[in-house]
């Protein structure tokens, strides 16, 4: 990478963080790392891979904690199950991918992978940037930024919470009412750049639907959605 390109990229990242999150980053290298996809990894002097995976892990935990705290305070009468479901809808990969793409992450992520299953790159980078903000600003500041700039400004929470996403629950309600036995068969269909799983939904031992996901739970949900699209009336 040329010096001129590096300076331009640094300026773009600074402006991006300021526009989206409302502050100027102090430790810019953290944000450069957060926007480096695993497919563009390099190695440091001791052989450690330089990409956003570790920051993604950290940001996922911070985002989950901030979201849980916000919902706990905003909805003081809701039981644990409903709070958990609401948090899941906010931090699910589908929602984070759409949010990050809308915010313009796709234009800044340094990635070499063109695999069609790398569509989680935007959501992964968003979580990694959250991890970078935490390391740069601390938890209290990160919480304030996420609540004010993301949860309140970028997400229509009421609409999100009233949208039915749990196809597995709909599928189980349908099959249990008819006393049908349900099971899943799982397989791993891809290892790189990220593990991809396939779930086949079995009803009375016969395959009825299938789905793909980056976790077994996601694959099962996709298979349940396929089943609902086939057999349940809108």
């Amino acid at each position: 990478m040329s010096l001129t390109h590096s300076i331009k990229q640094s300026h773009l990242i600074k402006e991006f963080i300021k526009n989206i999150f409302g502050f100027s980053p102090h430790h810019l290298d953290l944000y450069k790392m957060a926007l480096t996809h695993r497919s563009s990894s390099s190695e440091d002097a001791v052989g450690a891979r330089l990409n956003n995976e570790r920051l993604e892990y950290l940001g996922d935990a911070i985002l989950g904690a901030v979201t849980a705290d916000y919902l706990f305070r905003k909805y003081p009468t809701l039981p644990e199950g409903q709070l958990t479901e609401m948090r899941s809808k906010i931090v699910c990969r589908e929602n984070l991918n759409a949010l990050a793409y809308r915010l313009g992450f796709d234009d800044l992520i340094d990635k070499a992978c063109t695999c069609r299953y790398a569509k989680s790159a935007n959501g992964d980078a968003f979580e990694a940037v959250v991890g970078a903000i935490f390391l740069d600003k601390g938890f209290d500041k990160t919480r304030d930024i996420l609540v004010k700039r993301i949860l309140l400004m970028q997400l229509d929470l009421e609409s999100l919470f009233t949208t039915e996403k749990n196809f597995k629950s709909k599928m189980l309600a349908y099959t249990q009412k008819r006393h049908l036995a349900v099971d899943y068969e799982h397989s791993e269909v891809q290892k790189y750049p990220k593990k991809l799983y396939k779930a086949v939904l079995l009803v009375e031992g016969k395959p009825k639907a299938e789905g793909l996901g980056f976790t077994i739970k996601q694959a099962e949900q996709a298979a349940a959605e396929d089943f609902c699209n086939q057999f349940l009336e809108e």
Side-chain angles (χ1 to χ4, degrees):
M1 180 185 295
S2 69
L3 178 60
T4 301
H5 179 77
S6 179
I7 293 174
K8 181 179 180 181
Q9 186 72 359
S10 295
H11 176 73
L12 289 173
I13 292 174
K14 284 182 179 179
E15 289 300 306
F16 178 78
I17 297 300
K18 186 174 183 179
N19 290 337
I20 299 302
F21 297 100
F23 70 94
S24 295
H26 182 61
H27 298 288
L28 188 60
D29 285 348
L30 285 171
Y31 300 91
K32 290 181 178 178
M33 182 77 74
L35 293 165
T36 301
H37 187 263
R38 65 182 66 85
S39 62
S40 289
S41 296
S42 57
E43 292 188 355
D44 65 12
V46 296
R49 290 174 64 81
L50 302 176
N51 59 47
N52 64 7
E53 288 184 311
R54 282 171 54 83
L55 284 171
E56 177 195 341
Y57 157 80
L58 179 61
D60 174 64
I62 298 299
L63 180 61
V66 169
T67 303
D69 177 68
Y70 174 77
L71 294 174
F72 182 85
R73 297 173 189 276
K74 182 175 176 61
Y75 301 102
T77 63
L78 284 186
E80 178 270 342
Q82 286 182 263
L83 290 172
T84 298
E85 183 178 355
M86 292 165 73
R87 181 188 61 191
S88 296
K89 287 182 178 182
I90 292 174
V91 303
C92 74
R93 182 57 53 204
E94 178 186 1
N95 189 53
L96 292 184
N97 285 339
L99 170 64
Y101 184 81
R102 189 170 70 249
L103 293 175
F105 273 74
D106 197 56
D107 295 328
L108 281 179
I109 299 172
D110 181 8
K111 57 183 184 295
C113 179
T114 57
C115 172
R116 66 188 179 94
Y117 296 122
K119 62 182 180 180
S120 67
N122 291 306
D124 294 345
F126 179 85
E127 289 182 330
V129 166
V130 172
I133 296 172
F134 169 72
L135 294 177
D136 192 20
K137 300 295 182 181
F139 180 79
D140 288 344
K141 183 66 174 178
T142 302
R143 178 185 58 204
D144 290 345
I145 290 168
L146 289 176
V147 170
K148 293 176 182 177
R149 307 287 298 200
I150 300 300
L151 294 178
L152 294 179
M153 289 180 61
Q154 299 294 340
L155 296 177
D156 183 352
L157 297 184
E158 297 305 321
S159 176
L160 185 66
F161 296 156
T162 56
T163 300
E164 179 56 65
K165 294 283 186 181
N166 197 342
F167 293 102
K168 187 183 288 189
S169 295
K170 296 172 86 172
M171 175 275 295
L172 287 173
Y174 176 90
T175 53
Q176 288 173 359
K177 184 177 181 180
R178 292 160 177 78
H179 306 290
L180 301 173
V182 173
D183 200 0
Y184 288 95
E185 286 184 350
H186 307 104
S187 59
E188 186 179 301
V189 297
Q190 175 183 285
K191 291 183 179 294
Y192 182 85
K194 194 170 186 177
K195 286 185 177 180
L196 186 71
Y197 298 92
K198 178 180 179 180
V200 177
L201 175 61
L202 305 176
V203 180
E204 294 293 305
K206 297 179 181 180
K208 293 294 184 180
E210 61 183 48
L212 298 173
F214 292 111
T215 66
I216 290 176
K217 184 177 180 180
Q218 286 180 356
E220 289 182 352
Q221 188 71 249
E225 180 177 1
D226 182 31
F227 179 88
C228 291
N229 290 337
Q230 291 186 66
F231 300 104
L232 275 65
E233 295 182 0
E234 294 294 334

